[in-house]
Amino acid sequence: MTSIAVVGMACRYPGARSPAELWENVLARRRAFRPIPPERLRLADYPGGNGPDGTYVAQAAVLEGWEFDRVRFRVSGASYRAADPAHWLALEVAGGALADAGFPGGEGLPREGAAVLVGNSLTGEFSRAGLMRLRWPYVRRVVERALAGRGMGRGERSDLLAALEAAYKAPFPEPGDETLAGGLSNTIAGRICNHFDLHGGGWTVDGACASSLLAVANACSALAAGEVDLALAGGVDLSLDPFELVGFARAGALAHGEMRVFDRRGTGFLPGEGCGMVVLVREADAAALGCTPLALVRGWGVSSDGRGGLTRPEAGGQRLALRRAYARAGFGPESVAFFEAHGTGTEVGDAAELRALSLARGGAPGPPAVVGSVKALIGHTKAAAGVAGLIKAVMALRAGVIPPTAGCADPHPALRGPGPALRVADDGEPFPAGAAPRAGVSAMGFGGINTHVVLEGVPVTAEDERTEADRAEGERTEGGGPPAPRAASHASSGAWGITPAVRALLRSAQDAELLLLDAADVEEMRVKVETLGARGALFSAAELGDAAQALQRRLGGGPVRAAVVARTAAELARRLERLLGWLRAGAGCGVDVAEGVFLGTGGASPRIGLLFPGQGSPAHPGGGALCRRFAAFDAVYARVALPADGDGVDTAVAQPAIAAASAAALALLREA
């Protein structure tokens, strides 16, 4: 069996400029969904309930702050303007993956045998928008007929159409000699080969939403067959335009409200965008190339659903891909502790995938495997989705941590009942001891394509951990430039599993945020609230938490104080309007418990009273979410050691549980 080593990774997804940031977001369950920015799509133009040309989706996970450095990549202004941004995002991330593998700028690559496989389906929305310029003759004829029908004279029509043509074409670049190549999907891989002077072949893989994982599987096959010596594989997707959002809405695939994955109430997905790339070599060649394996690809399998539905997932076809992957790996799916699934949150898709994975594992001994999907955090990035899951799984193996399952509050019926083969994880947990850590990654796409890749962890040295920590810190402080080359030495495992840093990230997740403001007077508070409202209208769920933390740090002890509890940007906007209503009326105080809004005026050191619950209050012997969120809570409950499954109504259990909750709350207040 030929094992393939993952020796480099890079990505740019919503809220994540690197694999390290993506992993931190996975542990902290930071969700990147925000109201769709109007500069990307004016939702008012596509009302979901009015005819076939609308979409009901209101949120997406979008890239923020990305700007291609064309000077660094020596790209002329004309070339830059002619090509869809998907080309430039893929080129930048490809460069980051090569640098991560130890080939900065492509130096030291085995260029003759280096191939590029990029998953992409529709280039990007910007190319499709640019085609509107070339449709002007049709638009002109339609408008001219309408004007003539209303009696407008030829000369007046001509003047109006000339002005309309100039305004219509202004947003779109004028076609040039590079326009065709810059608007095609199949040249994305070729552009990477061109820039880095690679000669092993470069092509684009289109398997719809399985494209990027299909690119990885094809790259592994080419490496195993000896056709190439190094492969850069992944996917890119920058498509959030009406063609996709209206189409997915008509298919019923988009989520109504919150995106829930493997949840009983799943209604579909929220769209996302981004790019991920991995560098692959044969395990036997890694040392000679000076590469450090991050994980090993032990098996890969591809199938199609045959006469199954063209757009409807089929468990039978997925099981065939699984069988092929594990036959190549030489072991069964029962030895896999974590599955990074396709997981789109659709009722049919989630049910089919859970059925396929459960049947594949059969009656495997031991605890059920954990299942999750990164889409719950960054949305469905379509052609770039599979490689996002692959990067997440490699990072999990690298850290020795099975990550918590995001976006699942009420698990799917397939995850319940006696002896389920799969489960969701409420918290991070170490991989099982005494066995090789393994993860399976799945991706499916329109047309009935199924892909599955099997990963196995490799030992991590203390030196590797220090190097990766330094690199991640550099990415955070320097704005996400190309990562430094990784040290090329490996030995046995260093610190592994739930480290203090991992625990801190796991504890940071919460379902609502408390935003605090203070001011010298009511007028200053009004200005602060209006400013927050203007900025917060497009906050992602993760940015809402960032804003809460930033506001808390800026508190100055002013006598006018306000607080708002919010879960989403929309909820924040509505509750800030409630607060503004009070302030504009000149009020200095107000409380709306149902809406979670507070306004008050007082001295710098207000008196605080504590009300302790008594008999009859809800009792939670295990501490619940508060223990997972706050170390102070966890410490108290660990000392008390109440039975987690105790009867909360029984006085012998309820009274100690209520007292423990009070003591834990006091410990938390002292810590704050």
Side-chain angles (χ1 to χ4, degrees), residues 510-517 532 544-552 555 562-567 572 596-598:
Q510 53 192 46
D511 59 1
E513 297 294 340
L514 175 64
L515 295 96
L516 304 172
L517 296 163
L532 177 59
L544 191 63
D546 296 340
Q549 186 178 45
L551 289 171
Q552 190 274 335
L555 292 176
V564 175
V565 177
R567 295 174 179 83
L572 175 65
V597 184
F598 166 84

Side-chain angles (χ1 to χ4, degrees), residues 610 612 632-633 636 660-672:
L610 300 177
F612 291 91
F633 254 82
V636 170
S662 298
L666 281 175
L668 179 61
L669 288 174
R670 281 194 295 269
E671 189 177 83

Side-chain angles (χ1 to χ4, degrees), residues 5-219:
V6 181
V7 297
M9 302 192 301
C11 67
R12 186 86 188 212
Y13 288 105
R17 300 167 297 174
S18 67
E21 287 189 355
L22 182 67
W23 177 239
E24 289 176 354
N25 293 344
V26 166
L27 293 175
R29 281 156 282 186
R30 286 172 58 87
R31 310 189 82 183
F33 303 116
R34 69 177 75 243
I36 295 178
E39 58 268 24
R40 293 295 297 275
L41 186 71
R42 286 173 51 89
L43 290 175
D45 295 341
Y46 302 93
N50 297 337
D53 301 326
T55 184
Y56 52 82
V57 72
Q59 295 186 78
V62 301
L63 296 180
E64 287 284 310
W66 174 70
E67 184 175 352
F68 180 66
D69 186 353
R70 66 179 185 85
V71 174
R72 174 184 150 214
F73 284 91
R74 305 185 302 280
V75 174
S76 70
S79 295
Y80 174 72
R81 291 186 291 273
D84 190 279
H87 283 241
W88 308 125
L89 180 59
L91 178 59
E92 178 184 280
V93 174
L98 290 174
D100 190 54
F103 307 109
E107 294 303 315
L109 276 171
R111 285 188 164 85
E112 291 294 320
V116 178
L117 294 81
V118 178
N120 183 265
S121 294
L122 295 165
T123 311
E125 68 186 73
F126 308 94
S127 292
R128 292 197 292 279
L131 293 176
M132 292 177 62
R133 178 188 178 100
L134 303 180
R135 296 297 184 184
W136 166 249
Y138 169 76
V139 175
R140 179 189 173 93
R141 288 195 301 273
V142 172
V143 174
E144 187 167 24
R145 282 197 298 267
L147 295 177
R150 284 164 173 74
M152 183 178 286
R154 182 182 298 274
E156 191 176 4
R157 292 201 309 268
S158 179
D159 291 343
L160 177 60
L161 287 168
L164 181 59
E165 179 179 6
Y168 180 89
K169 291 183 175 180
F172 312 117
E174 184 176 330
D177 58 353
E178 296 190 64
T179 298
L180 180 59
L184 295 175
S185 172
N186 53 35
T187 51
I188 298 174
R191 190 178 297 279
I192 296 170
C193 290
N194 177 271
H195 180 82
F196 292 107
D197 193 25
L198 308 180
H199 299 275
W203 60 97
T204 298
V205 177
D206 185 358
C209 299
S211 295
S212 59
L213 202 63
L214 186 61
V216 171
N218 284 345

Side-chain angles (χ1 to χ4, degrees), residues 191-292:
R191 190 178 297 279
I192 296 170
C193 290
N194 177 271
H195 180 82
F196 292 107
D197 193 25
L198 308 180
H199 299 275
W203 60 97
T204 298
V205 177
D206 185 358
C209 299
S211 295
S212 59
L213 202 63
L214 186 61
V216 171
N218 284 345
C220 290
S221 292
L223 284 162
E227 296 169 357
V228 301
D229 298 318
L230 179 146
L232 184 62
V236 62
D237 196 292
L238 291 177
S239 293
L240 291 173
D241 68 350
F243 176 69
E244 294 198 12
L245 298 187
V246 172
F248 279 126
R250 299 284 70 79
L254 296 176
H256 294 270
E258 182 181 354
M259 182 176 176
R260 304 182 182 96
V261 178
F262 301 130
D263 191 286
R264 183 190 296 272
R265 303 160 297 164
T267 61
F269 68 81
L270 293 175
E273 60 184 357
C275 179
M277 298 281 183
V278 296
V279 180
L280 305 169
V281 301
R282 288 179 288 273
E283 181 189 11
D285 297 341
L289 290 169
C291 296
T292 301

